[in-house]
Amino acid sequence: AASDANDWGVNLSECAKLWKGGCIIRAALLEKIQAALAKDTNLANLMVDSGFAAELNSRQLSWRRIATLCIASGIPMPGICAALNYFDSYRTENLPANLTQAQRDFFGGHTYERTDKEGVFHTAWTDAHKDIGDINERKQGENVQK
């Protein structure tokens, strides 16, 4: 991304090749990374390369089992669990951001959007919540150019 933004012309495939020479992980993983980047110079993420996708998909049940066993045993595995969460979020079209939006609306009247209707909404979640007035008036000036 930085290479594209700054017009540096960095060849990621060549970078992977260079790392192999002086890196402790110079094994087959870097060769696979180099091959994937050489095959598609516009590859958005290694997970969408057919080879990486096949390996990740064939191993995901074992990956989930390890994460589950560690969690159940009270063994912290932040790297493994974060990687699994990233894997799941990357391949999921719609994520449960609605819970975060609902919490923001509940605690601060920040409004939310819905997937089944166009527009911006606010809910008076309990009797203690007050009407926030015209949502369009509240949002006036948010995109003002100075």
Side-chain angles (χ1 to χ4, degrees), residues 70-112:
C70 289
I71 291 167
S73 301
I75 301 169
M77 296 293 287
I80 296 285
C81 293
L84 184 56
N85 285 331
Y86 179 73
F87 174 71
D88 286 338
S89 66
Y90 195 86
R91 61 196 189 94
T92 303
E93 185 176 352
N94 293 311
L95 295 171
N98 55 345
L99 176 60
T100 303
Q101 288 188 59
Q103 289 173 328
R104 291 182 71 240
D105 189 56
F106 180 89
F107 291 109
H110 293 283
T111 70
Y112 56 93

Side-chain angles (χ1 to χ4, degrees), residues 36-76:
L37 294 169
K39 183 172 66 176
D40 182 357
T41 57
N42 294 317
L43 191 63
N45 188 305
L46 287 170
M47 292 189 296
V48 298
D49 172 73
S50 59
F52 276 93
E55 286 196 44
L56 287 168
N57 286 324
S58 71
R59 290 175 168 81
Q60 72 167 308
L61 290 178
S62 297
W63 189 5
R64 291 178 194 289
R65 184 166 183 257
I66 293 295
T68 302
L69 289 171
C70 289
I71 291 167
S73 301
I75 301 169

Side-chain angles (χ1 to χ4, degrees), residues 12-51:
L12 294 176
S13 175
E14 282 299 308
C15 288
K17 183 178 178 181
L18 291 171
W19 286 343
K20 282 193 315 188
C23 183
I24 58 173
I25 59 168
R26 65 173 84 170
L29 177 60
L30 284 173
E31 289 175 6
K32 291 177 182 179
I33 291 171
Q34 181 188 2
L37 294 169
K39 183 172 66 176
D40 182 357
T41 57
N42 294 317
L43 191 63
N45 188 305
L46 287 170
M47 292 189 296
V48 298
D49 172 73
S50 59

Side-chain angles (χ1 to χ4, degrees), residues 127-144:
D127 291 339
H129 289 93
K130 295 186 171 58
D131 186 358
I132 62 172
D134 184 354
I135 292 170
N136 293 320
E137 286 180 14
R138 280 191 74 200
K139 295 184 153 286
Q140 272 184 333
E142 286 186 2
N143 297 316
V144 173

